[in-house]
């Protein structure tokens, strides 16, 4: 059978690319190994317009946010589940310098869109340490990562377009106008492998700078906590049954998905800088974020093998950025539009 595309990997990148390609009329087969090593599985799905210690605006945030909201709403209508929560993000100041910088930013039109209000010290109640006050950030929230992947997996299985397994680059036979894999033919093969792309010989020339991250599922010994996302050097996302997802750390020395006591300690110490109530760990997970050196996604077809493509490198911003770029790539493969040079794989010499 001849398909339009083989998509390798069903993390957030592969799942949403497959969805957009189906929507554009393409025939798709997905091969996935139950998300082994996928950073999507352990992600908090955090969507935040202002990131980092210095509160930097994510470039093109409004464009990405609008596209993400539209796609997650579409998926919710098909799957019958909610995949995104819009919640205030409460940034708790570590010191007076952070507070004064925030006041300056609030006077700038570009930033004023995302700040709602400043809160005085002590406004968050006895469960939090907010000696310098806090600020509420709007236009953010989080996605239910596991629910999204599982729902799309069920959908793809129902359409008989998902099989379990691995695709090694050596398993592919490249012909003039298609690629053969295990008895089927494909016009294009798009790798959405996350950090495992570094072992793919088609893309070994890319300057990878993957980052291992770990998250904790925690219980906070306090009642009636505000329904919001909290952050300082670490973040807290409310879950069901009084649990919270807490993260994260950054480790560029290890490419594995083994949780470590060092990371758990680091996250807990970060939480205790702004949470005064007792915290207990209920679960601990690790994943590796796919990143290249310039911190931008890698999208497009291989310069020497035009039937082989990649859709990868979204790091911690996958839930925000993938919906936009998945549609862009799906359109491009249909001959509509070009891939922006800042994310095009061709920016790296092969």
């Amino acid at each position: 059978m001849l398909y339009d595309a083989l998509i390798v990997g069903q993390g957030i990148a592969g799942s949403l690319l497959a969805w957009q390609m189906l929507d554009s009329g393409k025939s798709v087969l997905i091969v996935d190994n139950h998300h082994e090593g996928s950073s999507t599985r352990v992600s908090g799905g955090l969507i935040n317009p202002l990131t980092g210690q210095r509160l930097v605006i994510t470039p093109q945030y409004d464009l990405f946010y609008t596209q993400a909201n539209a796609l997650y709403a579409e998926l919710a209508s098909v799957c019958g589940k909610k995949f995104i929560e819009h919640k205030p993000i409460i940034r708790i100041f570590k010191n007076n310098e952070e507070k004064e910088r925030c006041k300056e930013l609030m006077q700038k039109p570009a930033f004023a869109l995302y700040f709602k209000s400043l809160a005085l010290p002590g406004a968050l109640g006895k469960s939090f340490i907010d000696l310098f006050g806090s600020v509420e950030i709007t236009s953010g929230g989080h996605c239910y990562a596991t629910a999204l992947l599982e729902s799309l997996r069920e959908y793809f299985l129902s359409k008989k377009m998902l099989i379990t397994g691995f695709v090694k680059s050596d398993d592919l036979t490249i012909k003039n106008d298609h690629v053969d894999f295990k008895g089927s033919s494909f016009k294009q093969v798009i790798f959405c492998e996350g950090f495992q792309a570094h072992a793919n010989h088609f893309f070994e020339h890319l300057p990878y700078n993957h980052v291992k991250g770990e998250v904790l599922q925690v219980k906070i010994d306090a009642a009636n906590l505000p329904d919001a996302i909290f952050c300082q050097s670490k973040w807290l996302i409310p879950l069901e049954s009084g649990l919270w997802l807490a993260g994260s750390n950054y480790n560029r020395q290890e490419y594995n998905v083994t949780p470590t006591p060092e990371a758990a300690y680091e996250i807990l110490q970060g939480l205790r800088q702004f949470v005064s109530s007792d915290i207990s760990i209920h679960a601990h997970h690790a994943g590796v974020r796919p990143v290249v050196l310039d911190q931008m996604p890698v999208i497009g077809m291989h310069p020497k093998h035009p039937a082989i493509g990649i859709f990868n490198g979204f790091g911690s911003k996958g839930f925000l950025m993938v919906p936009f770029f998945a549609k862009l790539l799906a359109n491009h493969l249909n001959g509509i539009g070009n891939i922006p040079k800042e994310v095009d794989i061709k920016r790296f010499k092969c």
Side-chain angles (χ1 to χ4, degrees), residues 194-339:
F195 84 98
Q196 297 181 52
H198 71 271
N200 185 324
H201 77 73
F202 290 116
F203 305 110
E204 61 189 3
H205 65 288
L206 298 178
Y208 296 110
N209 192 29
H210 301 316
V211 183
K212 180 179 178 180
E214 302 186 38
V215 297
L216 305 177
Q217 193 177 93
V218 301
K219 181 83 172 181
I220 298 177
D221 187 19
N224 301 318
L225 294 176
D227 186 23
I229 297 166
F230 295 89
C231 64
Q232 200 181 74
S233 60
K234 305 300 179 186
W235 46 256
L236 272 175
I237 297 174
L239 303 175
E240 295 178 348
S241 304
L243 295 174
W244 297 72
L245 193 66
S248 178
N249 72 318
Y250 295 84
N251 181 351
R252 288 188 168 87
Q253 308 305 314
E254 298 178 348
Y255 289 175
N256 62 59
V257 294
T258 303
T260 63
E262 293 81 8
Y265 178 80
E266 177 187 338
I267 294 169
L268 283 177
Q269 288 300 102
L271 295 180
R272 286 171 178 144
Q273 297 300 307
F274 65 94
V275 178
S276 57
S277 299
D278 290 339
I279 304 170
S280 57
I281 298 176
H282 281 229
H284 184 184
H285 303 285
V288 181
R289 309 176 188 96
V291 183
V292 295
L293 276 175
D294 65 5
Q295 304 290 312
M296 295 296 289
V298 183
I299 301 171
M301 309 312 288
H302 194 287
K304 296 181 180 178
H305 304 286
I308 305 294
I310 189 169
F311 187 64
N312 207 336
F314 295 93
S316 60
K317 293 185 172 64
F319 286 89
L320 172 67
M321 299 173 67
V322 167
F324 173 83
F325 284 112
K327 186 171 184 178
L328 183 146
L329 180 55
N331 285 340
H332 178 73
L333 294 175
N334 271 330
I336 303 170
N338 296 315
I339 298 172

Side-chain angles (χ1 to χ4, degrees), residues 1 12 48 57 61 83 113 122 176 198 206 220 243 247 279 305 316 340:
M1 180 176 178
I12 185 67
N48 186 355
I57 299 176
Y61 181 82
F83 297 122
L113 295 171
N176 290 334
H198 71 271
L206 298 178
I220 298 177
L243 295 174
I279 304 170
H305 304 286
S316 60

Side-chain angles (χ1 to χ4, degrees), residues 3-303:
Y3 292 86
D4 286 310
L6 173 67
I7 293 180
V8 183
Q10 198 239 318
I12 185 67
S15 292
L16 298 190
L17 178 60
W19 183 269
Q20 296 286 27
M21 292 186 74
L22 284 174
D23 191 55
S24 69
K26 296 285 188 180
S27 57
V28 176
L29 181 68
I30 307 165
V31 179
D32 181 74
N33 60 340
H34 290 297
H35 319 294
E36 185 175 313
S38 170
S39 61
T40 306
R41 276 283 182 174
V42 302
S43 171
L46 184 61
I47 295 178
N48 186 355
L50 305 175
T51 60
Q53 293 302 305
R54 297 186 62 79
L55 293 173
V56 177
I57 299 176
T58 298
Q60 297 183 289
Y61 181 82
D62 291 344
L63 177 64
F64 296 145
Y65 188 59
T66 299
Q67 188 73 50
N69 280 327
L71 181 54
Y72 295 135
E74 177 185 336
L75 293 172
S77 67
V78 172
C79 299
K81 295 180 180 179
K82 188 176 184 180
F83 297 122
I84 186 170
E85 289 281 359
H86 301 283
K87 291 185 183 296
I89 299 173
I90 308 300
R91 176 69 173 255
I92 301 174
F93 300 126
K94 294 175 66 175
N95 49 50
N96 197 57
E97 288 75 19
E98 276 194 3
K99 180 177 181 177
E100 293 304 313
R101 173 173 168 74
C102 181
K103 286 182 177 180
E104 292 178 8
L105 293 176
M106 292 177 77
Q107 304 306 310
K108 299 180 179 182
F111 285 84
L113 295 171
Y114 305 113
F115 288 117
K116 184 174 181 182
S117 60
L118 285 171
L120 295 173
L124 296 179
K126 295 181 179 180
S127 296
F128 292 94
I129 304 169
D130 56 342
L131 299 177
F132 301 93
S134 61
V135 65
E136 181 176 330
I137 298 170
T138 64
S139 300
H142 71 96
C143 290
Y144 296 112
T146 301
L148 177 59
L149 288 193
E150 287 300 325
S151 295
L152 286 176
R153 180 176 181 82
E154 291 174 9
Y155 179 85
F156 295 142
L157 286 171
S158 73
K159 300 296 183 181
K160 301 187 186 307
M161 53 176 289
L162 171 63
I163 60 175
T164 301
F166 295 86
V167 178
K168 297 179 181 178
S169 46
D170 292 338
D171 294 335
L172 305 176
T173 302
I174 301 176
K175 302 292 183 69
N176 290 334
D177 59 352
H178 67 274
V179 178
D180 289 335
F181 172 72
K182 292 189 175 180
S184 295
S185 299
F186 304 87
K187 294 179 183 178
Q188 287 122 7
V189 179
I190 313 295
F191 285 93
C192 308
E193 303 172 286
F195 84 98
Q196 297 181 52
H198 71 271
N200 185 324
H201 77 73
F202 290 116
F203 305 110
E204 61 189 3
H205 65 288
L206 298 178
Y208 296 110
N209 192 29
H210 301 316
V211 183
K212 180 179 178 180
E214 302 186 38
V215 297
L216 305 177
Q217 193 177 93
V218 301
K219 181 83 172 181
I220 298 177
D221 187 19
N224 301 318
L225 294 176
D227 186 23
I229 297 166
F230 295 89
C231 64
Q232 200 181 74
S233 60
K234 305 300 179 186
W235 46 256
L236 272 175
I237 297 174
L239 303 175
E240 295 178 348
S241 304
L243 295 174
W244 297 72
L245 193 66
S248 178
N249 72 318
Y250 295 84
N251 181 351
R252 288 188 168 87
Q253 308 305 314
E254 298 178 348
Y255 289 175
N256 62 59
V257 294
T258 303
T260 63
E262 293 81 8
Y265 178 80
E266 177 187 338
I267 294 169
L268 283 177
Q269 288 300 102
L271 295 180
R272 286 171 178 144
Q273 297 300 307
F274 65 94
V275 178
S276 57
S277 299
D278 290 339
I279 304 170
S280 57
I281 298 176
H282 281 229
H284 184 184
H285 303 285
V288 181
R289 309 176 188 96
V291 183
V292 295
L293 276 175
D294 65 5
Q295 304 290 312
M296 295 296 289
V298 183
I299 301 171
M301 309 312 288
H302 194 287

